Amino acid sequence: MEIENTALTFYLTSGAAVAAALARIKTRLELSKAKHPSLAGHSKMARRVARLLPGYEYDETQFFASDDAPEDVAAQRRAGFKRLSALYAERFAKSAAMTTEVAQSISDMQFTGAYRVPFQYSRHVRENLKGGSFVQSSSGVTVTDLDGNVFYDLTGSYGVNVFGYDFYKACIAAANEKVRDLGPVLGAYHPVVAYNVKRLREISGLDEVSFHMSGTEAVMQAVRLARYHTKRSHLVRFCGAYHGWWGDVQPGVGNPVPAHETYTLKEMDPDALRVLRRRRDIACVLVNPLQALHPNGNAPGDSSLVDSSRSAHFDRAGYTAWLKELREVCTERGIALIFDEVFVGFRLAYGGAQEYFGVRADMVTYGKTLGGGLPVGVVCGRADLMKRYREDRPADICFARGTFNAHPYVMAAMHEFLERIEQGDTRWIYAGLDTLWNRRAQQLNARLAVAGLPVQVANLSSIWTVVYTKPSRYNWMLQYYLRAEGLALSWVGSGRLIFSLNYSDADFEAVAARFAAACAAMQRDGWWWAPAGLSNKAIKRRILKEMVEHRFGVSL
Ligand SMILES: Cc1ncc(COP(=O)(O)O)c(C=O)c1O
C-alpha cells in the first residue's frame, strides 16, 4: 500500500512538473511569436550583430559607383558632387568654420555629424559637404545661419516647434517677466504651477501631475510608478518605438548593457495581445503614437537609408482599432497603459493622441513643446498610479525627485504655452489639421510624380517622412540637395520632416517648389541611375557581402 502511495505521489509530482514545464515552454513560445521578425524586434541579437559589423569606407571611385554605375554616370555624379561642394563651401563658410572649430570638443556634434549618411560614404561627405551646425536667428517658419542664409525650417526642433518659433519666443519673454521677482528658487513652487496643474488635468483627463526635466525622465518615472503599484517587473514597448534614451526603453543598439526587464513586442499584432493576456510579470505598456506612421519600424534616419525599402503609411482607423484592443487588454489584466505623447502631444490635437485616437490611457507623458520653448517632461496619471508611498507601509516608497523639477522659468513658460493655446486664434489651428496636412502631402506627391521623380512623402498630420520609389543606394544624398535649396533638416535627414502649424499655404508652396527642385537636381546629377532589374534585396545582399569580406578579410 505504502509503495503504491509513493508511486502515486511520484507520478503526480512528475506530472505536475511536466505540466509546469510545458506551460513555461508555451509561454516562452508565445513571447517569441509576439516579437517582430526584424532585428529591431530582437534587441539582444541586434546588439550582437551591431558589434560584429565592420567599419569600412568607400574610396573616391567606389563612392560614386558603389552600384556599379558606368563611367559616364559616375562622372555625372562626381561633377554634381563637386558643384554642390563648391556651393556649400561658399554659402555656408562661417557656419562650417565654427562647426569645424568646436566639433572635436562637442561629442554630440561628432556623433550626429558621423551618422547623417550610411557609414561607407560618411567621411567623404563630411569632408566635402560642410553645412555647419550653427544658426543665429529664427522668424516665422524660417531659421537663419551665421552666413545669413535663410532656411525653411523642417527640423521642427525635434518636435518642440508646434506653433512657430515666434510663439515660443513670446512664451519665454513673458515667462521671464512673470517670475522675475522669484528668480531660480527651487523646491518651493511659483504660483503659476497651480494653473499648469489645473490645465494639464483637464487636457489629459487624469488626476495628478509630476514635473521633470526631459521626456526621458518623464518616461522613467511613469514606468517606475507602474512597477511600484503593480508589483510587476516588466515593461512592454513596441518594436522600433523611441521613448528616450533611458536603458530600459532602449534595450537594443545604443545601450551597452542588456535590458532584462523589457519585452519588445510586435505592434498592431494579436500575438502581442496574447502575451499581455497571459503573462503575470507585465507592469505597463508604453505606446508612442508616432509609430502609427511606421508600425514596428525604427525612427527613420538617413544613415540607415542603404536602399529604398523605407516605408511608411498611416492608417488612422487601423491604429485606433489597435489602441482600443490594447486598452481593453490592459484594463482586463491590470496593466498600466502609458501613452508617451512627448512627441505628438499638443501636435495631433488639443488633447493630444488620447483625443485624436479616442482612447484614454492610465498615464500620459508629455514634454518637448509643453515647456513653451524650455526643457520639460511631465507625467499625468490616475491618482492610484501616481502615489509615491503607501500609508500602511511607510518605508515602501517610489522615489522620484529632481533638483530642477518645476523650475520657475520653465513653469512660467509652460503657463504661457497653456494659456495661449487655449485662446481662440491658436485653438482654431487644430480644426481641420489633418485635412490640411494630408492635402499638402498629396499635392507634393502629385507634383513629384508628374515630374517623374522617384520620391514620395508619407505623413501623420504635420510629421512627414520621405520614401523612395525606385531601388537606389544614394537616396541619402537628397538631404544635401534639399539644404542647397534652402530647406533645413535635422541630422536624421529626409527620414523626418516636421512642420510647425504656422506654415501658410504660401510657405508650403515655397517648400514644395524647393523640394521638387532639389529632387530634380539630384536626378539630373545621375544619383538615381540604377542598373536594370536592381532590387532592394540585391542591394542588401551586396552590402552584406562587402561586410563579410571586410570582417574576415576575404574576397567572395
Ligand atoms: C516619444 C518620445 N518619448 C521620449 C522622448 C525623450 O524626450 P527627451 O529628448 O526630452 O528626453 C522623445 C524624444 O524625442 C520622444 O519622441
Side-chain angles (χ1 to χ4, degrees):
M1 190 63 181
E2 202 167 286
I3 293 177
E4 271 173 26
N5 274 347
T6 316
L8 187 63
T9 314
F10 173 74
Y11 286 126
L12 284 177
T13 338
S14 317
V18 170
L22 285 176
R24 268 201 305 277
I25 292 170
K26 187 165 175 264
T27 317
R28 187 68 194 82
L29 287 176
E30 273 173 2
L31 183 61
S32 297
K33 214 166 151 243
K35 292 186 178 187
H36 193 261
S38 64
L39 261 188
H42 293 78
S43 310
K44 271 191 212 138
M45 203 188 301
R47 290 173 57 244
R48 264 184 234 129
V49 171
R51 278 198 210 117
L52 290 175
L53 287 193
Y56 61 94
E57 288 168 7
Y58 291 144
D59 63 23
E60 207 266 350
T61 310
Q62 291 166 322
F63 183 94
F64 294 105
S66 57
D67 53 357
D68 294 331
E71 194 37 57
D72 59 326
V73 174
Q76 203 182 344
R77 290 173 180 170
R78 192 175 275 108
F81 192 84
K82 219 172 150 189
R83 260 197 313 277
L84 209 53
S85 176
L87 180 145
Y88 269 53
E90 194 209 320
R91 199 179 284 174
F92 309 132
K94 279 193 201 153
S95 300
M98 181 161 276
T99 305
T100 306
E101 189 186 317
V102 299
Q104 283 317 307
S105 316
I106 303 183
S107 329
D108 200 47
M109 197 184 269
Q110 287 168 38
F111 177 77
T112 53
Y115 286 89
R116 281 175 196 270
V117 307
F119 64 86
Q120 297 93 335
Y121 309 89
S122 180
R123 184 183 302 275
H124 196 64
V125 169
R126 258 178 295 160
E127 284 173 358
N128 294 286
L129 295 175
K130 295 184 180 175
S133 303
F134 286 89
V135 282
Q136 58 174 327
S137 62
S138 65
S139 171
V141 293
T142 64
V143 289
T144 302
D145 72 4
L146 306 190
D147 298 271
N149 300 297
V150 179
F151 298 88
Y152 282 97
D153 183 68
L154 305 181
T155 74
S157 285
Y158 299 125
V160 168
N161 186 16
V162 175
F163 296 108
Y165 292 119
D166 298 322
F167 174 93
Y168 299 91
K169 286 184 205 169
C171 286
I172 293 170
N176 279 341
E177 287 303 311
K178 209 165 244 159
V179 294
R180 181 191 298 276
D181 290 342
L182 182 62
V185 174
L186 299 165
Y189 296 112
H190 189 280
V192 288
V193 170
Y195 171 84
N196 293 351
V197 169
K198 178 173 170 288
R199 293 297 317 287
L200 285 168
R201 290 184 58 218
E202 282 162 15
I203 290 167
S204 68
L206 292 160
D207 309 317
E208 291 186 22
V209 178
S210 70
F211 295 109
H212 309 273
M213 287 307 294
S214 68
T216 299
E217 263 192 89
V219 170
M220 284 167 71
Q221 169 64 353
V223 172
R224 177 176 277 199
L225 283 165
R227 285 173 164 159
Y228 174 69
H229 287 289
T230 60
K231 300 192 175 69
R232 301 175 194 160
S233 53
H234 279 64
L235 73 87
V236 163
R237 68 182 273 272
F238 292 109
C239 178
Y242 185 69
H243 295 285
W245 65 279
W246 168 48
D248 281 21
V249 289
Q250 201 190 42
V253 177
N255 181 354
V257 295
H260 294 297
E261 283 162 341
T262 299
Y263 295 129
T264 298
L265 305 184
K266 257 185 289 187
E267 189 154 23
M268 298 186 83
D269 195 288
D271 288 337
L273 297 179
R274 198 163 301 122
V275 167
L276 295 178
R277 268 203 190 95
R278 210 85 80 176
R279 295 193 80 97
R280 301 215 184 99
D281 55 354
I282 297 173
C284 59
V285 174
L286 271 171
V287 174
N288 177 354
L290 177 55
Q291 290 298 108
L293 183 55
H294 40 72
N296 296 304
N298 280 329
D302 283 0
S303 69
S304 58
L305 200 56
V306 295
D307 58 15
S308 300
S309 56
R310 178 194 281 167
S311 67
H313 170 69
F314 173 48
D315 169 6
R316 184 168 177 175
Y319 202 73
T320 302
W322 160 248
L323 291 182
K324 287 197 164 138
E325 280 184 288
L326 210 49
R327 175 66 279 177
E328 236 175 79
V329 178
C330 287
T331 305
E332 220 175 87
R333 303 289 301 155
I335 296 170
L337 179 61
I338 305 172
F339 278 8
D340 180 358
E341 297 210 28
V342 168
F343 202 112
V344 299
F346 303 95
R347 179 176 282 276
L348 297 183
Y350 182 72
Q354 290 196 100
E355 177 187 326
Y356 187 80
F357 292 108
V359 178
R360 306 227 64 95
D362 301 311
M363 287 197 265
V364 179
T365 53
Y366 299 104
K368 295 198 191 264
T369 196
L370 175 57
L374 296 181
V376 83
V378 165
V379 183
C380 295
R382 275 181 8 215
D384 59 315
L385 288 170
M386 296 292 280
K387 195 164 169 104
R388 299 182 190 174
Y389 59 94
R390 303 184 207 285
E391 312 278 357
D392 56 342
R393 297 275 188 285
D396 183 9
I397 55 170
C398 182
F399 188 80
R401 306 285 305 137
T403 303
F404 288 110
N405 294 356
H407 190 289
Y409 284 81
V410 177
M411 288 298 111
M414 183 188 290
H415 182 277
E416 286 301 315
F417 174 90
L418 290 168
E419 226 173 34
R420 282 160 202 252
I421 63 165
E422 172 72 344
Q423 286 158 12
D425 54 342
T426 306
R427 193 89 186 248
W428 71 260
I429 284 184
Y430 288 114
L433 207 53
D434 265 21
T435 314
L436 176 72
W437 287 100
N438 291 345
R439 174 170 57 75
R440 287 175 176 173
Q442 280 158 12
Q443 277 170 359
L444 179 57
N445 281 339
R447 185 178 202 145
L448 296 167
V450 167
L453 296 160
V455 180
Q456 292 280 280
V457 294
N459 71 306
L460 164 57
S461 202
S462 53
I463 308 161
W464 293 26
T465 188
V466 179
V467 294
Y468 299 87
T469 59
K470 270 171 48 184
S472 167
R473 291 197 65 175
Y474 289 101
N475 297 318
W476 45 266
M477 269 301 290
L478 181 60
Q479 60 182 296
Y480 296 96
Y481 283 87
L482 290 171
R483 186 178 173 85
E485 288 293 332
L487 302 180
L489 308 183
S490 78
W491 69 283
V492 300
S494 66
R496 188 146 288 158
L497 315 181
I498 305 167
F499 290 92
S500 47
L501 305 186
N502 61 329
Y503 261 89
S504 67
D505 281 344
D507 293 328
F508 183 77
E509 170 53 30
V511 168
R514 289 164 187 236
F515 193 95
C519 295
M522 174 144 161
Q523 190 171 51
R524 263 198 315 277
D525 286 343
W527 297 101
W528 280 314
W529 172 91
L534 181 68
S535 67
N536 291 322
K537 251 195 191 143
I539 295 175
K540 282 202 181 84
R541 265 202 306 271
R542 164 98 181 239
I543 296 171
L544 188 64
K545 178 171 165 283
E546 282 176 12
M547 286 177 173
V548 172
E549 287 177 343
H550 279 91
R551 180 84 175 88
F552 299 104
V554 293
S555 177
L556 297 174

